C-alpha cells in the first residue's frame, strides 16, 4: 500500500496511509477495502495476527507504567495537541470517512468535529477528575476517595462512526491515564490508519508511542484475544446487540468491565400541537441521515391521529426530493450503505415488511448502479409486526398512529432497545410525562429535537439491549478509572468503626 490513487482523486495529500514497514501495521493476511461509493477496491491493508497483538499488548503494558505517573493536566496537554492535529486534518479526514463508509461530506466533517469537541472536553476534564471527601465517624480521621488510572482499555468500534466513537473513548481514557488498544471495524480500516498516523505525528516526538495503539484485524484473530485478555480491565464496544452480548458475557466471565453502546430502535412521538416544520426537518435528519446507519437513527415515528395524514403527506413529498448519490457531491443528502451485506439486509427487511402486511408508502427499492445505494423508505406499520422491533441498519422509517400519549409511550417502550427517543410538543404536561419515571425508558430523551446528533457534553448510551454503557461527557470518565477509598488516622488511638470495642 504505497500509493493510493483515490487520495489524489479526493485531493487529500495530508492524509498519510503509510506503508508496510510501519510498526503499527500488521503482519497477517490482507484485508480488501472497498468504497461503497462505486464498489471498487481502493486498498489492501495488512491485518494484525496474534503475534502482533501480543507485541502491542506488551508495549502497552510497559507504557502504562509511565503514562499513569504523568500528571493528569500534563496528559491533558498531550490531548490538546491531538485536538489541534484533528483540526488541521478535519477536511481531509472527513472526506476519507465519506469515501470509505459512504456518509456525506458534511457528516464526515461533522464526525471529525465531534473528535475535536471530545478532545477539547478531555483537556478541561484533565483538571477535574474529582474525588469526594467524606466526614469520618472517628475523631481525627480523614476519609476521601481518589481516582486512579485503570490500565489498558480495549476499544472496539463500528463502521458508522469510524473516528468519533474511538475519540469519545480514547480522549477521555488518555486524560484518565490509561493506555488503549483500538480494534476498528474491518469495514473502515483506512480511517483508523489515518487517525493512528495523526496520533503518531503528535505522540512519537513527545515520547508517548504506545499510549494509543491500533489493531486492524478480524474478530476471530485478534478481537477474541482482546476480549478475553485479563490485562485489559475495560472493554468498550460499540456495535450490534448481538455482538455486544457476546463481548459482555466474555468480559463478565473474567470479571472485567465492559462499556457497551449497542443497537437502538429510536422513535419520535409527534403531538398535535407540535411545529410541523421542525418535525419534518428532525425526522429527515434522523431517518435518512447517514443513510439510516446511526445507532441513534430515527426508525419509528408515532403520529397523533389528528395530524398523521398531513405529516405523512409532507414526509412523502420531502422524501421524493432527496438526492441520493456520491457522498462527496455537495447537494447529496443520502450516500450509499456501507456494503453489499447492508443492501441485502435492507432487501430482506422489505421482504419481511411485505409478508407482515406493512404498507410501503415510498421508496423500497435497491438502486441499480455501482456502489451500494438504496431508496429511503417509509412504511405504514403497527407494533404487532416483528420487523419493527429490530434494528435494520438502513433508511427505513415505520409510521404508527396513536390516540393518547400514554398509549404512545407504552408502544414506544415496548421494544428491546433503549437508546434515544424524542417528543415534539409545546405542551408542558406532555413534555413532563415523556420525561418522567413512567415516560421514555431510553438513555437519551429529547424535546423538540430528533433522536440523532447528540452533543458530546452529555453521557451517551442507553438501557436494556442497548447495553447500559455511557460514553463521552458528564461523569462517563469514571468507568475509565479505578476508585480508591482512603481513610487516614492522625490520632494517637485506634478507634474502630461502628463503635466496636475489640479485646
Ligand atoms: C453512533 O451511531 O454509534 O448522536 C453514534 C449521534 C452522534 C453519535 C452516534 N453524535 O447521532
Amino acid at each position: 500500500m504505497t500509493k493510493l490513487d483515490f487520495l489524489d482523486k479526493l485531493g487529500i495529500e495530508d492524509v498519510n496511509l503509510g506503508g508496510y514497514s510501519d510498526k503499527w501495521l500488521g503482519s497477517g493476511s490482507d484485508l480488501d477495502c472497498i468504497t461503497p461509493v462505486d464498489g471498487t477496491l481502493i486498498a489492501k491493508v495488512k491485518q494484525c495476527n496474534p503475534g502482533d497483538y501480543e507485541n502491542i499488548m506488551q508495549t502497552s503494558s510497559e507504557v502504562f507504567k509511565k503514562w499513569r505517573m504523568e500528571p493528569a493536566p500534563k496528559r491533558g496537554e498531550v490531548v490538546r495537541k491531538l485536538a489541534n492535529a484533528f483540526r488541521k486534518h478535519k477536511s481531509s479526514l472527513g472526506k476519507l470517512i465519506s469515501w470509505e463508509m459512504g456518509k456525506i461530506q458534511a457528516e464526515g466533517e461533522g464526525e471529525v468535529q465531534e473528535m475535536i469537541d471530545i478532545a477539547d472536553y478531555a483537556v478541561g476534564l484533565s483538571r477535574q477528575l474529582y474525588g469526594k471527601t467524606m466526614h469520618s465517624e472517628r475523631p481525627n480521621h480523614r476519609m476521601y476517595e481518589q481516582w486512579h488510572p485503570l490500565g489498558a482499555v480495549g476499544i472496539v468500534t463500528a463502521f458508522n462512526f469510524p473516528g468519533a466513537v474511538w475519540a469519545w473513548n480514547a480522549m477521555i481514557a488518555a486524560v484518565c491515564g490509561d493506555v488503549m488498544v483500538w480494534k476498528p471495524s474491518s469495514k473502515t480500516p483506512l480511517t483508523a490508519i489515518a487517525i493512528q498516523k495523526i496520533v503518531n505525528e503528535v505522540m512519537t516526538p513527545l515520547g508517548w508511542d504506545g499510549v494509543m495503539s491500533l489493531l486492524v484485524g478480524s474478530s476471530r484473530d485478534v478481537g477474541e484475544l482482546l476480549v478475553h485478555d485479563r490485562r485489559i480491565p475495560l472493554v468498550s464496544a460499540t456495535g450490534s446487540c448481538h455482538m455486544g452480548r457476546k463481548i459482555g458475557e466474555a468480559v463478565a466471565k473474567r470479571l472485567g468491565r465492559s462499556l457497551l453502546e449497542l443497537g437502538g430502535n429510536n422513535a419520535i412521538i409527534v403531538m398535535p400541537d407540535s411545529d410541523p416544520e421542525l418535525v419534518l426537518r428532525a425526522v429527515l435528519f434522523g431517518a435518512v441521515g447517514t443513510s439510516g446507519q446511526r445507532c441513534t437513527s430515527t426508525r419509528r415515528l408515532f403520529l397523533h391521529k389528528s395530524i398523521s395524514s398531513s405529516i405523512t403527506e409532507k414526509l412523502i413529498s420531502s422524501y421524493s426530493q432527496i438526492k441520493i448519490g456520491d457522498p462527496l457531491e455537495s447537494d447529496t443528502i443520502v450516500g450509499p450503505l456501507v456494503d453489499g451485506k447492508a443492501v441485502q439486509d435492507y432487501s430482506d427487511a422489505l421482504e419481511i415488511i411485505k409478508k407482515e402486511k406493512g404498507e410501503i408508502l415510498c421508496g423500497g427499492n435497491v438502486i441499480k448502479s455501482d456502489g451500494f445505494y438504496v431508496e429511503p423508505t417509509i412504511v405504514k406499520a403497527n407494533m404487532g409486526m416483528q420487523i419493527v422491533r429490530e434494528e435494520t441498519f438502513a433508511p427505513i422509517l415505520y409510521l404508527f398512529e396513536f390516540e393518547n400519549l400514554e398509549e404512545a409511550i407504552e408502544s414506544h417502550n415496548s421494544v428491546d432497545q433503549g437508546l434515544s427517543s424524542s417528543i415534539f410538543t409545546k405542551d408542558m404536561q406532555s413534555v413532563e410525562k415523556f420525561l418522567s419515571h413512567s415516560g421514555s425508558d431510553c438513555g437519551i430523551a429529547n424535546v423538540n429535537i430528533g433522536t440523532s446528533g447528540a452533543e458530546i457534553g452529555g453521557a451517551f448510551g442507553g438501557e436494556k439491549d442497548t447495553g447500559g454503557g455511557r460514553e463521552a461527557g458528564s461523569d462517563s470518565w469514571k468507568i475509565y478509572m479505578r476508585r480508591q477509598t482512603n481513610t487516614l488516622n492522625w490520632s494517637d488511638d485506634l478507634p474502630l468503626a461502628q463503635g466496636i470495642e475489640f479485646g
Side-chain angles (χ1 to χ4, degrees), residues 114 158 160-161 164-165 168 238-239 261-262 285 290 293-297 393 419-420 444 451-456 460 471:
E114 201 160 339
N160 63 337
F161 274 82
V165 173
W168 290 354
T238 306
E261 196 258 285
L262 311 175
F285 180 62
T290 329
Q293 300 171 109
R294 290 190 187 218
C295 57
T296 51
S297 288
F393 238 42
L419 180 56
S420 184
I444 297 169
T451 57
S452 62
E455 301 175 20
I456 56 91
F460 183 94
E471 292 168 306

Side-chain angles (χ1 to χ4, degrees), residues 427-437 439:
D427 175 55
M428 182 190 156
Q429 284 188 333
S430 304
V431 170
E432 292 295 337
K433 233 177 233 172
F434 179 71
L435 300 179
S436 74
H437 299 329

